[in-house]
Structures are given as C-alpha cells and as structure tokens.
C-alpha cells in the first residue's frame, strides 16, 4: 500500500518548501513531494503532497515539517489503494502542442499536420511525457533555436527520463550524433521502447541515439562523445548550479546549453553559476512558474 501526506498553505510557502527540499541533500529518496495550486480561480492557495511506500511516522512528518519556514501546517495522512500512481495519473493526459511538436499518449491519435513532429509517449515510470511545463518549454525553446539557425552536429540530453527531448533534438537536427543519460536505471528500457514507438534509431552513428546511466556528466561515454554543440538538462535547480562548470567543459566554444527544471525564483542562482562558468544567456522563456534558459559558451573564456 502507498501513503500520502497533504498540507495546505499559500503559494510562497509551498515554493519555499520545494526549494528547501532540493537543498536537503540527506532527504529520503523514497519520499516524493510536489506542490501545486488547488484551483485555477485561487492561484495563491497551494497544496504540498508527499508520497511514500510505508505508513509515515514521526521521522517522516518531522522531516517534512522542517522544510517549512516557521511552524508547519497540519498534515493530512491517508492510505492509498495499491497502484502505480505515476502511470495512473498519466493515462488520461491530453495531447500537448509545444513549438514544432505534438506529444500524446497512445490513447490519443497522432496529429497529421505538415511541419509538426508527432511523438507517442506512453505513461511510464520515468519523468518526461511532455505534460510538465519544463518539458513543454524545452520543446518550444528547441524549436526557437532551430528557427534562429542553430546548427547541431552533436548533442547530449542529461536526465532524459523518457527520451523525449533527445528525440526532439534528432527530429530538428536529424544528422546529429546524440547521447542521452539518466541517473535512474529504469530509463534505458523506457527510452529504447519509446524510440521504437517513434521511429528513433538507437545506435552510435549520425542520426542515432545512444543511452547510458550516469550521474550528471560523470560517465566515460559522455566524455568520449564530447565536446557537444548542444547539451540539454531538464533536472532540478540545485544540480544545475553544481553541474554548470561540467556543462561548460562539455561544450564546444560557442556551444548551446538548454536548462530547465528551475522555478523562476531559482533562476538568478542558476544564471550566476552559469555566468561564472563562462556561459552567457542567449534566450529565456517562462512557462507557468518555470524558467527555461538558453545559454551559450563564450568562445574565449578565462575563469577569474
């Protein structure tokens, strides 16, 4: 059985909790949290939800309470029916349009429209169906970059989840050498299945995608395939700050970096880390509460 803890507060408080959660390096990975508004007509009323696979005790509630500024609100604890909640939540997802892309689950038909790349991404155990504002924002940003004349011969998608962003890059730049990675060991099988569904070739050649499991940029294959014209990273603000120097090192001079997974309130810290690593802002989008950044590596850079 699964259990859920729910707390209600204003938007600023819940956003503070989400940021504190990212900075809590000793956080129990079995406790998954998310924050969202309760209703569209009440944009300042938010809820924090935490899921875990066992009945929460004092240790779990105290860890959650410690994320709140000041006194934590009352926690509602409930037992949930046994099911795969991620899959269940995604089964009825509506298709999305983002840039040159249409993304849908198998329950919905493809969009037969010229100039639009269609992807079927089923509900799975990996993040990245395209529904989240960060993923959709990345698709829109990649489309914008292509329209601006960006050329990509090699790319890396870090934290790929379902493989969607890597697939999108290969549709826009079909002759590129592409690699995708994720820290989650479930992702290679997910990516390979989605690649078959969407006609993406797996392999080491031009126009093909190779997949590996890695933490950040720490893998021999990621180093061997670089440097890259394009690196994508739709992860979390904390890791983006830590990995900024590694991303810069992995890019060719003038190379492109697309970052997502950061709230707009977290953008200054991420941009500062990138600036210190020799990356300059080339463009940004905001989708809901989330920022999507396009940065470029300076052609001449000397760290101070």
């Amino acid at each position: 059985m699964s259990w859920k803890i729910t707390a209600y507060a204003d938007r600023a408080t819940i956003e503070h909790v989400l940021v504190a959660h990212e900075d809590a390096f000793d956080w129990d990975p079995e406790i998954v949290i998310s924050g969202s508004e309760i209703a569209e007509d009440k944009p300042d009323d938010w809820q924090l939800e935490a899921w875990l696979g066992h009945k929460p005790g004092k240790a779990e509630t105290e860890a959650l309470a410690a994320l709140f500024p000041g006194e934590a609100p009352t926690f509602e604890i409930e037992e949930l029916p046994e099911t795969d909640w991620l899959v269940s939540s995604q089964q009825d997802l509506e298709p999305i349009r983002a840039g040159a892309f249409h993304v849908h689950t198998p329950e919905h038909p493809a969009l037969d429209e010229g100039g639009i790349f269609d992807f079927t991404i089923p509900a799975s155990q990996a993040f990245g169906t395209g529904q989240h504002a960060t993923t959709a924002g990345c698709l829109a940003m990649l489309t914008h970059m292509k329209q601006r004349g960006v050329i990509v011969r090699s790319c890396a998608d870090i934290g790929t989840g379902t493989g969607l962003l890597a697939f999108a890059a290969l549709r826009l730049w079909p002759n590129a050498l592409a690699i995708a990675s994720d820290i989650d060991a479930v992702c290679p099988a997910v990516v390979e299945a989605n690649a078959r569904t969407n006609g993406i070739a797996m392999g080491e050649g031009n126009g093909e995608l190779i997949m590996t499991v890695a933490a950040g940029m720490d893998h021999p294959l990621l180093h061997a395939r670089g440097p890259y014209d394009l690196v994508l990273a739709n992860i979390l603000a904390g890791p983006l700050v830590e990995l900024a120097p590694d991303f810069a090192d992995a890019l060719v001079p003038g190379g492109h970096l697309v970052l997502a997974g950061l709230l707009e309130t977290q953008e200054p810290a991420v941009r500062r880390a990138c600036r210190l690593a020799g990356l300059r802002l080339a463009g940004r989008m905001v989708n809901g509460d989330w920022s999507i950044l396009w940065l470029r590596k300076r052609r001449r850079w000397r760290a101070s």
Side-chain angles (χ1 to χ4, degrees):
M1 304 299 288
S2 299
W3 293 76
K4 184 173 74 167
I5 305 173
T6 306
Y8 300 96
D10 59 86
R11 170 178 169 175
T13 298
I14 300 300
E15 287 185 347
H16 175 95
V17 170
L18 295 176
V19 173
H21 167 256
E22 290 183 9
D23 293 336
F25 294 105
D26 59 347
W27 185 260
D28 183 350
E30 292 188 5
I31 305 175
V32 179
I33 75 170
S34 72
S36 61
E37 64 182 30
I38 299 172
E40 291 186 2
D41 60 341
K42 297 180 179 180
D44 196 50
D45 294 340
W46 277 44
Q47 62 183 353
L48 181 81
E49 296 174 295
W51 292 269
L52 58 167
H54 60 273
K55 185 176 181 178
K58 183 178 180 181
E60 289 81 7
T61 55
E62 286 183 348
L64 199 60
L67 299 176
F68 284 84
E71 185 176 354
T74 301
F75 293 145
E76 297 179 1
I77 300 175
E78 60 181 310
E79 189 177 16
L80 304 173
E82 186 173 2
T83 186
D84 187 331
W85 285 100
L86 180 58
V87 172
S88 177
S89 68
Q90 293 178 355
Q91 285 178 341
D92 297 324
L93 294 180
E94 291 297 319
I96 67 160
R97 280 285 302 271
F101 301 96
H102 176 254
V103 186
H104 60 96
T105 60
E107 291 76 20
H108 295 275
L111 183 65
D112 186 15
E113 183 176 327
I116 298 297
F117 299 110
D118 191 272
F119 288 120
T120 301
I121 304 293
S124 71
Q125 293 180 325
F127 176 81
T129 62
Q131 292 290 331
H132 196 278
T134 60
T135 309
C138 287
L139 295 174
M141 181 64 83
L142 289 173
T143 302
H144 173 69
M145 292 166 64
K146 176 68 174 183
Q147 293 170 343
R148 292 287 301 271
V150 170
I151 297 172
V152 174
R153 304 174 188 85
S154 60
C155 66
D157 180 13
I158 309 302
T160 191
T162 60
L164 177 58
L165 295 183
F167 299 168
L170 280 172
R171 285 288 184 258
L172 293 172
W173 296 281
N175 293 317
L177 290 167
I179 183 170
S181 71
D182 201 286
I183 196 170
D184 191 343
V186 77
C187 288
V190 172
V191 170
E192 290 170 8
N194 287 337
R196 288 193 297 270
T197 298
N198 291 284
I200 300 293
M202 299 296 295
E204 300 180 11
N206 292 83
E208 297 176 335
L209 177 66
I210 190 169
M211 174 73 196
T212 189
V213 175
M217 300 296 298
D218 187 19
H219 194 281
L221 188 57
L222 285 169
H223 292 293
R225 300 273 291 192
Y228 302 96
D229 296 309
L230 170 65
V231 172
L232 304 162
N234 180 14
I235 44 179
L236 295 170
L240 291 179
V241 170
E242 294 179 10
L243 289 168
D246 294 338
F247 291 149
D249 290 342
L251 290 168
V252 299
H256 306 269
L257 175 65
V258 174
L259 301 181
L262 59 146
L263 292 164
E264 194 174 2
T265 55
Q266 299 168 323
E267 184 179 333
V270 174
R271 286 175 60 174
R272 180 179 184 277
C274 290
R275 184 170 62 252
L276 293 174
L279 298 157
R280 62 178 179 82
L281 188 68
R284 67 184 289 269
M285 294 181 179
V286 176
N287 193 2
D289 298 318
W290 304 88
S291 295
I292 297 89
L293 306 180
W294 168 21
L295 302 112
R296 297 196 67 183
K297 182 177 179 177
R298 297 182 185 275
R299 296 186 180 276
R300 295 182 180 179
W301 172 249
R302 182 177 63 185
S304 57

